[in-house]
Amino acid sequence: MSRTRMRPVVVGTIPNSHAIAFGICTNIVAFVMLTSMVNLLSAVLTLCATLFYVLVYTMALKRTSTQNIVIGGAAGAIPPAVGWVAVTGSLDLPAIYLFAIVFFWTPPHFWALSLLLKDDYASAKVPMLPVVAGVDVTKKSILLYTLLMLALTTMFALTGAVGSVYLVSSVVLGVLFIYYAWRLMRRPDIEGAKPLYLYSLLYLALLFWR
């Protein structure tokens, strides 16, 4: 892909073996640090996130399924749960909600990006949803996942883990997300994909700012 062709591993500046060794070493260090300084459960979850990303997303799904970033998104959704476990020491319902919120945020975020890079993904033979199913299907899928995400962020408030400030801000931020997704779906081609992608970054930062 044009956007990744100059990365150090791709051009050979960093050999594959060195990158693998570095990844293994950093994960070992992270596991030891989390186990000794935080708790074992947070260390196990962190390791699971890495293994899921490498084995399930990168090796099994990325080049074989349009659902690559949906299922693979679980790896990126684990860190918020790790944060909860690090503080509380247990995998409670709020941690599951934190996982689910990021899990359902991931498809709209990455599908918006894949609309912008559709030709790049196609040339690299990566079966992203816009490449295989088309732009219109992708737009509808973005809106669907955005609606589900808003429902989850609202339901999270019912756990008692957050207060009224979170509830109000999550609804406002979610409605804005829906607006961007709806605008993308109603406009021709991929107009609106970039604003949606950029807003998705801001959305997650503002949602979890406290």
Side-chain angles (χ1 to χ4, degrees):
M1 293 179 63
S2 60
R3 72 185 183 92
T4 61
R5 67 174 182 267
M6 296 306 295
R7 290 180 178 178
V9 174
V10 176
V11 299
T13 304
I14 298 177
N16 288 342
S17 58
H18 290 189
I20 293 171
F22 179 79
I24 292 173
C25 289
T26 53
N27 273 275
I28 291 173
V29 171
F31 188 88
V32 172
M33 289 181 65
L34 285 170
T35 302
S36 59
M37 301 173 67
V38 186
N39 56 56
L40 178 60
L41 183 54
S42 64
V44 170
L45 287 175
T46 301
L47 182 59
C48 286
T50 300
L51 293 175
F52 193 91
Y53 183 86
V54 173
L55 300 177
V56 178
Y57 169 67
T58 304
M59 298 180 67
L61 295 175
K62 186 173 183 177
R63 292 186 174 274
T64 62
S65 174
T66 58
Q67 297 301 301
N68 47 19
I69 56 95
V70 178
I71 300 170
I78 291 176
V82 172
W84 181 272
V85 170
V87 173
T88 66
S90 59
L91 193 61
D92 305 314
L93 183 60
I96 304 302
Y97 269 108
L98 289 171
F99 169 88
I101 289 168
V102 178
F103 182 83
F104 280 90
W105 166 87
T106 301
H109 168 72
F110 277 105
W111 282 335
L113 177 63
S114 67
L115 284 171
L116 297 170
L117 302 175
K118 179 175 175 289
D119 294 339
D120 208 11
Y121 280 114
S123 64
K125 295 182 172 55
V126 178
M128 296 297 286
L129 192 62
V131 176
V132 178
V135 171
D136 289 341
V137 170
T138 304
K139 290 179 179 181
K140 292 176 183 177
S141 299
I142 287 174
L143 181 60
L144 173 61
Y145 273 83
T146 302
L147 291 169
L148 292 171
M149 181 187 66
L150 175 59
L152 283 167
T153 56
T154 304
M155 291 168 63
F156 179 44
L158 302 178
T159 65
V162 290
S164 57
V165 173
Y166 164 84
L167 178 59
V168 172
S169 60
S170 68
V171 171
V172 172
L173 291 168
V175 169
L176 277 172
F177 208 128
I178 291 172
Y179 163 74
Y180 280 109
W182 176 258
R183 189 176 70 163
L184 170 64
M185 192 175 73
R186 301 300 297 175
R187 289 191 172 187
D189 201 26
I190 62 169
E191 285 186 30
K194 187 173 182 178
L196 173 60
Y197 171 72
L198 294 175
Y199 177 73
S200 69
L201 296 170
L202 179 64
Y203 169 86
L204 204 61
L206 292 178
L207 185 69
F208 293 140
W209 75 277
R210 296 185 63 191

